[in-house]
Structures are given as C-alpha cells and as structure tokens.
C-alpha cells in the first residue's frame, strides 16, 4: 500500500518508509479496537468499552505513557487493562468510594507531576511539552468532574464511574513506567 501511494505521488524511499510505518500503526490500532469491542460484546460490557476508550485513550493522547515494544504486547496489555477496567464496576462496588478517592487523588498527582511522558520514538519539543501538560491537566480535571457526577448516578449507570476511574488511574500509572519495562515486569 505504501509503495502504491508513494509511487502515485512521486515520493522518496524515505517517505515510503514513513507511509509503511503509519499504515502499520493504523492497522494495529484498528485491530486492537476490533478485538476490544468483540471482547466487550462477548462479556456484555459495551458501555464500559465506550467509557474505557474515552477515559484511557483520551488522556493518553496528550499525557503519553508506557508504549509496548510489539503489537502483540500492546494488544495483550490493552486487553488486560480493558478487562480490569470493564469488570471493576462489578468487582469493586462495595469499595466504590475508596476507589473513587484513590483514583482521583493518584491520577491528579501523577498527571500533574509526570505528564506528558515522552516516548523514545516521539520526543517532544519544550513548546509541545508545555502545551501537552496543560491539555493533560485540563482533560484530567474534566474527567475527574465527570467521574464525580457519574458517582452520584452510580445506581442508574450501573457503577460505570468505577470503569472510568480505573481506566484513568491505569493510564496515569503508565506515565511512571520506565520505557524499558512492561506492565508484566512490574
């Protein structure tokens, strides 16, 4: 695909390599989302899937965090993180207030201190670091406010605030995982 695209617009070999990488990342992301959605469908957690995508991926876009070394590792870790987040509204109901407090306080501390977390593949200029730090903080404040509102409607929303707070907390923790380690090694 990258050769066809590159040849049609007279690209250099280096540009074709960029197209190849971009297509690979896009296909991997699409496959991850399809597998996560199918898992959500099988376990009956579609609303949790939507909340997970918003609260984990939305913050991750600007805050950064740990990146897996391979597509398989990324898919496996995403699946485990999604499953924990999706099931949290069933597993942790009796400790909802505790998870709410810990999740919000820890996320605020971690995001305010460590975001944005650079990837070795994607270093940020000082201007982008400042911009992403501000955006990360704003997203976090919005998310924390939303989670608190969801908490007050916990019965009506099947305790989905727990899915949101766990997804946000796991993403916040990923900011401090060293680049040369994976979740499974910690």
């Amino acid at each position: 695909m990258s050769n066809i695209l590159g040849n049609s617009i007279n690209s250099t070999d280096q540009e074709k390599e960029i197209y190849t990488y971009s297509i690979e990342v896009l296909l991997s992301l699409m496959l991850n989302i399809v597998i996560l959605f199918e898992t959500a469908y099988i376990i009956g957690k579609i609303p949790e899937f939507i909340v997970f995508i918003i609260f984990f991926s939305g913050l991750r876009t600007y805050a950064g965090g740990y990146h897996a070394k391979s597509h398989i590792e990324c898919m496996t870790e995403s699946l485990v993180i999604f499953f924990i987040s999706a099931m949290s509204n069933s597993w942790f109901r009796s400790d909802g207030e505790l998870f709410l407090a810990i999740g919000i306080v820890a996320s605020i501390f971690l995001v305010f201190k460590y975001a944005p977390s650079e990837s070795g593949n994607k270093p940020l200029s000082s201007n982008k670091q400042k911009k992403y730090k501000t955006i990360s903080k704003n997203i976090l404040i919005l998310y924390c406010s939303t989670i608190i509102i969801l908490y007050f409607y916990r019965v009506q929303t099947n305790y989905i605030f727990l899915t949101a707070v766990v997804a946000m907390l796991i993403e916040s923790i990923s900011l401090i995982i060293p680049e040369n380690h994976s979740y499974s090694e910690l």
Side-chain angles (χ1 to χ4, degrees):
M1 288 190 326
S2 61
N3 279 332
I4 292 169
L5 174 64
N7 290 338
S8 70
I9 57 174
N10 297 326
S11 299
T12 66
D13 288 341
Q14 185 178 10
E15 290 169 329
K16 288 178 190 177
E17 287 179 29
I18 293 170
Y19 303 152
T20 300
Y21 177 74
S22 299
I23 292 168
E24 179 182 339
V25 169
L26 181 63
L27 290 174
S28 176
L29 176 63
M30 289 172 49
L31 181 61
N32 282 358
I33 290 173
V34 167
I35 291 171
L36 290 174
F37 179 79
E38 287 177 357
T39 302
Y41 180 78
I42 290 167
I43 65 174
K45 297 284 188 178
I46 298 295
E48 289 81 354
F49 167 75
I50 295 166
V51 168
F52 172 78
I53 292 295
I54 292 168
F55 283 81
F56 185 84
S57 301
L59 182 57
R60 186 171 186 76
T61 300
Y62 292 98
Y66 172 76
H67 283 277
K69 304 279 184 273
S70 70
H71 296 299
I72 297 292
E73 182 182 346
C74 178
M75 181 63 250
T76 303
E77 290 174 359
S78 296
L79 198 54
V80 169
I81 292 167
F82 164 69
F83 187 77
I84 292 168
S85 297
M87 297 307 293
S88 65
N89 67 343
S90 300
W91 293 342
F92 307 128
R93 272 187 193 194
S94 62
D95 298 315
E97 290 82 7
L98 179 63
F99 273 89
L100 178 69
I102 291 171
I104 287 177
V105 170
S107 293
I108 289 171
F109 172 77
L110 293 169
V111 169
F112 275 59
K113 183 164 175 71
Y114 296 106
S117 175
E118 287 186 286
S119 164
N121 295 335
K122 188 181 171 188
L124 299 172
S125 67
S126 65
N127 285 342
K128 278 214 173 177
Q129 279 188 338
K130 289 177 188 175
K131 179 180 177 180
Y132 283 17
K133 184 171 220 41
T134 300
I135 293 170
S136 297
K137 288 177 180 179
N138 289 334
I139 289 171
L140 183 72
I141 291 166
L142 174 66
Y143 284 1
C144 290
S145 301
T146 303
I147 288 169
I148 291 168
I149 292 167
L150 288 170
Y151 169 76
F152 287 111
Y153 292 97
R154 64 190 172 274
V155 174
Q156 298 90 329
T157 61
N158 194 27
Y159 289 74
I160 204 147
F161 80 92
L162 285 165
T163 298
V165 78
V166 169
M168 181 180 73
L169 178 60
I170 292 172
E171 162 50 23
S172 299
I173 291 169
S174 84
L175 298 173
I176 59 172
I177 296 176
E179 178 116 1
N180 57 351
H181 291 62
S182 67
Y183 289 116
S184 58
E185 294 173 339
L186 296 177

